[in-house]
Amino acid sequence: MNTFYIITNLLKDPQMKVAKHIQEYLEKQGRRCLIQEALKTEGLQSYKYTDPAKVPAEVDCVLVLGGDGTMLQASRDLVERRIPLFGINLGTLGYLAEIGLKELEPALNKLLLDEYVLEERMMLEGSAFHAGKRVLSDIALNDIVIARSGRLRVIDFHIYVNNRFLNSYSADGIVVATPTGSTGYSLSVGGPIVSPAASMILITPIAPHTLTARSVILPDDAKVKVEIGQRNMQEEAEATFDGDTTVRMDCKDYIEIEKSARTVSFVKIDQVSFLEILRRKMSGA
């Protein structure tokens, strides 16, 4: 790798000290390294977004400084560019960022020596429909969550797979996740942990009002439809893509979800890093 581009979370690296250190280190090794300019938009979350048109065509790798949220945003923003992403964690232990600051320079040396592998991660593509008309389409690396909004009450969700009825859940919501997203929200609501290298679709209800509700794991060619049911009053829900893009949904609205044709490439310098992170998470280390 010869040309690098840095995306940094300005809330975790406010003076760009880490970004500038990496830039200086790589340039001393004879490589080219560019740092994304701070976006001049209002709001504390403006740092999350990257204009793919400003990433030079010759970039071999995007270094993402922050945490899992920063990695998710970079993955969504740059998916059409198909540039490998390498995550450097600036916060608490996550699953998407490959290394922490203590391993920074040895990890950079491995990138310079081409001692790495690329791991393809599947994404989901979802289309929300209101009154039979598509109102939003977007992609997600982690998950698409369809959950209640407004008043605190359960909603009926009707699940179809490949146009066949699967089940109805009375619950607070439904998480449709990728293997990458299995360690995110899906895990917190009782979903299984799946290797991110796998390719499948996970469906997990959020706080289901039954003792028998379980997650369902489907092959990656499955087409999932989640429809908002109707009880005694107008239901209000919303679908959220990777905790970012949101669309409001009413009763009888539905969202169709399937594996996206687009993927994200993560740079891996340690092929067992996911297992190591999982062990540390489970042991509380």
Side-chain angles (χ1 to χ4, degrees), residues 122 161-162 199-201 217-224 259:
M122 71 167 279
V161 177
N162 297 332
S199 186
M200 56 188 65
I201 298 174
I217 300 177
L218 301 171
D220 63 4
D221 61 352
K223 295 184 179 181
V224 178
K259 178 183 177 181

Side-chain angles (χ1 to χ4, degrees), residues 15 39 84 89 120 126 150 173 218 270 282:
Q15 304 300 320
L39 298 179
N89 204 320
E120 293 289 326
L218 301 171
D270 185 353
M282 294 178 70

Side-chain angles (χ1 to χ4, degrees), residues 181-197:
S182 72
T183 53
Y185 192 16
S186 178
L187 177 62
S188 70
V189 296
I193 297 174
V194 179
S195 169

Side-chain angles (χ1 to χ4, degrees), residues 53-281:
K54 293 184 178 180
V55 181
E58 63 272 18
V59 168
D60 298 310
C61 179
V62 174
L63 305 177
V64 183
L65 281 58
D68 284 359
T70 316
M71 284 289 286
L72 283 174
Q73 204 62 58
S75 298
R76 286 158 53 84
D77 289 341
L78 299 177
V79 65
E80 300 293 353
R81 295 295 306 274
R82 301 188 62 81
I83 304 172
L85 307 180
F86 184 73
I88 300 170
N89 204 320
L90 301 184
T92 57
L93 181 66
Y95 285 99
L96 299 183
E98 176 76 356
I99 60 146
L101 289 178
K102 293 181 179 179
E103 304 88 16
L104 180 57
E105 293 187 2
L108 293 176
N109 291 336
K110 287 190 175 184
L111 297 184
L112 298 178
L113 294 172
D114 291 334
E115 296 179 356
Y116 63 87
V117 296
L118 296 181
E119 185 175 276
E120 293 289 326
R121 301 287 185 94
M122 71 167 279
M123 303 185 80
L124 296 174
E125 184 165 334
S127 296
F129 291 82
H130 174 70
K133 296 182 179 179
R134 181 185 288 126
V135 293
L136 176 74
S137 292
D138 205 350
I139 57 174
L141 173 62
N142 256 8
D143 51 44
I144 299 174
V145 178
I146 307 96
R148 68 184 183 189
S149 63
R151 296 175 58 185
L152 298 180
R153 59 176 182 266
V154 298
I155 292 180
D156 290 336
F157 297 91
H158 306 311
I159 312 298
Y160 300 82
V161 177
N162 297 332
N163 294 320
R164 292 177 177 266
F165 177 70
L166 173 65
N167 194 17
S168 290
Y169 295 99
S170 294
D172 290 353
I174 302 290
V175 179
V176 182
T178 65
T180 297
S182 72
T183 53
Y185 192 16
S186 178
L187 177 62
S188 70
V189 296
I193 297 174
V194 179
S195 169
S199 186
M200 56 188 65
I201 298 174
L202 290 68
I203 302 176
T204 302
I206 303 171
H209 286 236
T210 174
L211 298 177
T212 59
R214 294 290 185 270
S215 297
V216 177
I217 300 177
L218 301 171
D220 63 4
D221 61 352
K223 295 184 179 181
V224 178
K225 175 181 175 182
V226 181
E227 182 183 68
I228 309 300
Q230 184 175 12
R231 291 200 170 199
N232 297 325
M233 58 186 74
Q234 185 78 6
E235 304 292 4
E236 293 182 0
E238 61 181 18
T240 306
F241 296 73
D242 277 342
D244 184 22
T245 308
T246 299
V247 58
R248 184 178 179 275
M249 301 181 71
D250 298 320
C251 63
K252 300 302 181 181
D253 288 353
Y254 61 92
I255 182 168
E256 295 179 340
I257 302 170
E258 61 184 326
K259 178 183 177 181
S260 174
R262 291 167 284 187
T263 61
V264 177
S265 292
F266 282 179
V267 177
K268 311 296 291 184
I269 60 173
D270 185 353
Q271 296 190 52
V272 297
S273 61
F274 171 74
L275 297 178
E276 174 64 18
I277 291 175
L278 182 59
R279 182 193 66 79
R280 292 168 61 186
K281 283 279 193 178

